[in-house]
Amino acid sequence: LRARKFKYDEVIAMIEEATEVRSSAREQDFYPDPVQALGCEPSVFMAQYPQLYHGHAKNGCPVFISKPGVLNVDGMECI
């Protein structure tokens, strides 16, 4: 509601549009198989490039955890 200044009709239109966009992405296989997209198992990729989204903060924002200092460049080149 806040994004549309509490105008109910605009909120409903925004939600319907977002639903249509997501459904068309699924129809076109926009969300591929992770093994096919990465070229390896996700666990192997995460071991070499440790980053992930984990839940939400108290204010509702997604929590992103990244460890750039632990990145294994040689391992990423092998993948």
Side-chain angles (χ1 to χ4, degrees), residues 38-41 43-50 70-79:
L38 296 173
C40 64
E41 291 293 323
S43 60
V44 173
F45 180 80
M46 292 303 293
Q48 306 304 317
Y49 195 65
V70 184
L71 173 66
N72 185 354
V73 177
D74 294 331
M76 288 300 292
E77 289 178 353
C78 291
I79 294 176

Side-chain angles (χ1 to χ4, degrees), residues 4-48:
R4 297 290 171 241
K5 301 197 187 288
F6 298 94
K7 295 180 180 176
Y8 182 75
D9 295 331
E10 291 181 14
V11 171
I12 296 300
M14 181 181 69
I15 292 172
E16 288 174 349
E17 181 183 351
T19 304
E20 290 173 17
V21 168
R22 289 188 179 194
S23 66
S24 67
R26 289 188 189 274
E27 290 171 1
Q28 298 172 8
D29 198 23
F30 184 75
Y31 306 106
D33 177 37
V35 175
Q36 182 181 2
L38 296 173
C40 64
E41 291 293 323
S43 60
V44 173
F45 180 80
M46 292 303 293
Q48 306 304 317

Side-chain angles (χ1 to χ4, degrees), residues 52-57 61-65:
L52 59 111
Y53 284 97
H54 182 72
H56 293 85
C61 295
V63 176
F64 179 71
I65 301 171

